[in-house]
Amino acid sequence: MTGLQAGLKDRHLSMIAIGGVIGAGLFVGSSTGIATAGPGILLSYALVGTLVVLVMRMLGEMSAANPTSGSFSAHADRALGRWAGFSIGWLYWFFWVVVLAVEATAGAKILEGWIPAVPQWGWALIVMIVLTATNLVSVGSYGEFEFWFAGIKVVAIGAFVVVGLLAVFGVLPGADTEKAGLGNLTDHGGFLPHGAGAILTGVLLVVFSFMGSEIVTLAAGETANPRKAVTKATNSVIWRIAVFYLGSIFVVVALLPWNDPSIEKKGSYVAALDSLGIAHAGQIMNFIVLTSVLSCLNSGLYTASRMAFSLGERGDAPKAFARTTSRGVPMAAIVSSVVFGFVAVFFNYKFPDSVFLFLVNSSGAVALFVWLVICFSQLRMRRIIQAEAPEKLVVKMWLYPYLTWATAALIVFVLGYMLTDTEHDGRTTVLLSLLVAAVVLIIAFVKEKVGGGARAAEVAAPPGEPLDDAVKTP
């Protein structure tokens, strides 16, 4: 049998949707943001969260009308041109391959701390091999792993928010709540101790922890009812970000003064738990961070391989990437993504301050590039859908086109502001990411010119519903 199969159940996709917005970056990166912006980091998270909600709404509109494994890359292909689908697809693939190396190393550090007999590179190898095997078996085994990984994250953060709120209001039995209280939001230099400008600096530090929200639109193509799955996931993104990001960060800054040294020393979540006198808080949080890392690795490998599959299907990558096993697994796409992931892991150990640092910085702004392309794709795609199949507009972007343009303007503003940031490598990240994007764009235009612009394959349609048959111009 060829092609992807509907191997993901509704419960898998629901947990992928919830877990997709909880990256390891939330646990690891939030302490720097709190030190930079103080309690005002809540506004940074709220601003980026709003941006993600709007972008996901646009993506939901396009994906509900035409669910496909290529998601925004396939939509850009049709709405803006083949060069756009090619470029953003490969940039996104590149981003997740680098993430594989970052997360494998982060997980290996935790595991080495528990079992030092195995060296760090050995743990990285073991973790990558296990998750590669999981993805190669079937999409159902990926979904099952992700269901449990994401489930642990969700339960852990949910429990953290509940316990933290009880402590903040002084009703948690047996806890040391001496430092806790709503006064922490204003008592130590005010809500914005470093001024309003720190909110934007905070945005730069937290924006990348939101990457992964869009995974659900790629995975929806492998469910029995992709349109329903995309609609449900898109509609629930607001409460997911509100609870897991804003809720948990609010608890951290309310439990401890923002300038408490333990936040940067131990990490924000560990420091918050430790302040309550909860035994083994550090190890509990390490386990949760490890789960998040494995979840991110699992999803990263899945996402990179499905984007490679879609590129192969559209003739923008080797045809072998579009071939699947009898279980509907794109083996060549998975293996190729893993090989590059292993190469990146090698660079991390051999050349951490040169080659690997270049890879990390040059993929850093890809999230913002993807969101910007989604905005411009939606502006064009809405008109296409309205002309060809208006009944497929089951999810609609609010206040179209004004809110779409406003979102695009905000993303451009954030990219521009990053160019002024030399303290946190914002300028380096944008410039190197633009360099890589320029190289990919040049390849796209050369490829299109050499190929005469001819399509090798049409954008994938929903299973059993070819695009040409499903969408007719009235």
Side-chain angles (χ1 to χ4, degrees):
M1 184 175 178
T2 57
L4 301 176
Q5 295 180 17
L8 292 175
K9 299 183 174 69
D10 283 349
R11 67 183 177 87
H12 291 154
L13 205 74
S14 295
M15 204 54 81
I16 290 167
I18 295 170
V21 296
I22 310 170
L26 175 62
F27 300 105
V28 179
S30 53
S31 54
T32 308
I34 292 170
T36 302
I41 195 67
L42 283 166
L43 296 181
S44 304
Y45 274 101
L47 193 60
V48 180
T50 302
L51 197 62
V52 172
V53 167
L54 294 173
V55 169
M56 281 297 294
R57 187 75 185 182
M58 295 177 223
L59 185 53
E61 176 182 297
M62 295 185 287
S63 295
N66 180 30
T68 166
S69 61
S71 187
F72 50 83
S73 171
H75 304 320
D77 191 303
R78 187 165 186 226
L80 304 177
R82 192 169 182 185
W83 63 270
F86 176 96
S87 303
I88 207 65
W90 277 113
L91 282 173
Y92 192 68
W93 178 86
F94 171 60
F95 171 85
W96 280 109
V97 166
V98 174
V99 166
L100 290 180
V102 173
E103 300 291 344
T105 306
K109 281 181 182 174
I110 295 172
L111 288 164
E112 187 191 29
W114 291 343
I115 308 175
V118 179
Q120 199 179 112
W121 66 265
W123 278 121
L125 191 66
I126 291 167
V127 164
M128 289 279 275
I129 288 172
V130 169
L131 292 179
T132 301
T134 301
N135 274 264
L136 283 173
V137 171
S138 70
V139 68
S141 62
Y142 153 73
E144 201 61 37
F145 261 67
E146 192 54 28
F147 177 80
W148 292 105
F149 285 154
I152 292 170
K153 284 194 293 187
V154 168
V155 170
I157 293 193
F160 177 80
V161 170
V162 171
V163 168
L165 286 175
L166 290 174
V168 168
F169 292 107
V171 292
L172 184 67
D176 177 8
T177 57
E178 186 182 333
K179 291 184 178 179
L182 295 177
N184 284 328
L185 298 175
T186 54
D187 287 351
H188 307 277
F191 185 68
L192 294 168
H194 296 148
I199 297 171
L200 287 175
T201 308
V203 165
L204 307 186
L205 296 172
V206 306
V207 67
F208 305 111
S209 66
F210 282 84
M211 193 67 167
S213 309
E214 65 292 322
I215 291 174
V216 67
T217 61
L218 281 88
E222 293 179 79
T223 62
N225 192 340
R227 192 161 287 127
K228 177 186 171 188
V230 167
T231 304
K232 186 178 175 185
T234 304
N235 290 337
S236 66
V237 73
I238 296 175
W239 72 259
R240 286 186 270 130
I241 287 173
V243 171
F244 297 122
Y245 276 86
L246 291 175
S248 63
I249 294 296
F250 171 81
V251 165
V252 170
V253 294
L255 283 177
L256 278 172
W258 67 270
N259 54 0
D260 192 302
S262 65
I263 290 180
E264 280 203 89
K265 185 180 176 184
K266 300 177 182 176
S268 50
Y269 288 80
V270 174
L273 285 176
D274 274 348
S275 73
L276 299 177
I278 295 175
H280 310 298
Q283 291 305 324
I284 293 169
M285 193 50 68
N286 270 338
F287 173 73
I288 295 165
V289 171
L290 178 63
T291 306
S292 293
V293 163
L294 294 175
S295 169
C296 194
L297 261 172
N298 195 35
S299 285
L301 182 51
Y302 172 82
T303 306
S305 65
R306 287 335 186 253
M307 187 57 75
F309 168 84
S310 178
L311 287 165
E313 202 175 38
R314 286 177 275 144
D316 288 336
K319 275 293 180 190
F321 285 9
R323 296 195 195 108
T324 56
T325 66
S326 59
R327 295 184 299 276
V329 173
M331 183 178 289
I334 291 174
V335 171
S336 301
S337 301
V338 171
V339 166
F340 279 96
F342 275 128
V343 169
V345 169
F346 170 76
F347 285 147
N348 194 7
Y349 288 107
K350 197 73 177 170
F351 313 106
D353 299 320
S354 54
V355 180
F356 188 70
L357 190 62
F358 169 81
L359 290 175
V360 171
N361 283 331
S362 61
S363 66
V366 167
L368 293 167
F369 295 166
V370 166
W371 295 348
L372 199 57
V373 167
I374 289 171
C375 291
F376 291 127
S377 298
Q378 190 264 338
L379 285 168
R380 171 89 179 108
M381 204 66 175
R382 166 69 77 93
R383 295 199 294 273
I384 294 173
I385 299 168
Q386 281 178 327
E388 296 181 344
E391 71 280 359
K392 290 191 172 186
L393 277 173
V394 291
V395 175
K396 285 187 179 181
M397 177 58 185
W398 306 295
L399 297 176
Y400 168 85
Y402 310 107
L403 207 46
T404 303
W405 278 113
T407 306
L410 182 57
I411 294 169
V412 171
F413 174 76
V414 171
L415 283 167
Y417 188 78
M418 284 179 75
L419 288 171
T420 68
D421 174 51
T422 52
E423 187 182 348
H424 302 100
D425 293 329
R427 178 182 295 175
T428 305
T429 297
V430 172
L431 292 176
L432 287 179
S433 296
L434 283 171
L435 174 65
V436 171
V439 170
V440 175
L441 275 170
I442 290 168
I443 294 170
F445 284 123
V446 169
K447 183 178 183 298
E448 196 161 347
K449 193 147 183 85
V450 170
R455 296 296 307 229
E458 285 297 327
V459 176
E465 189 180 38
L467 190 62
D468 293 336
D469 296 334
V471 183
K472 298 186 185 296
T473 306

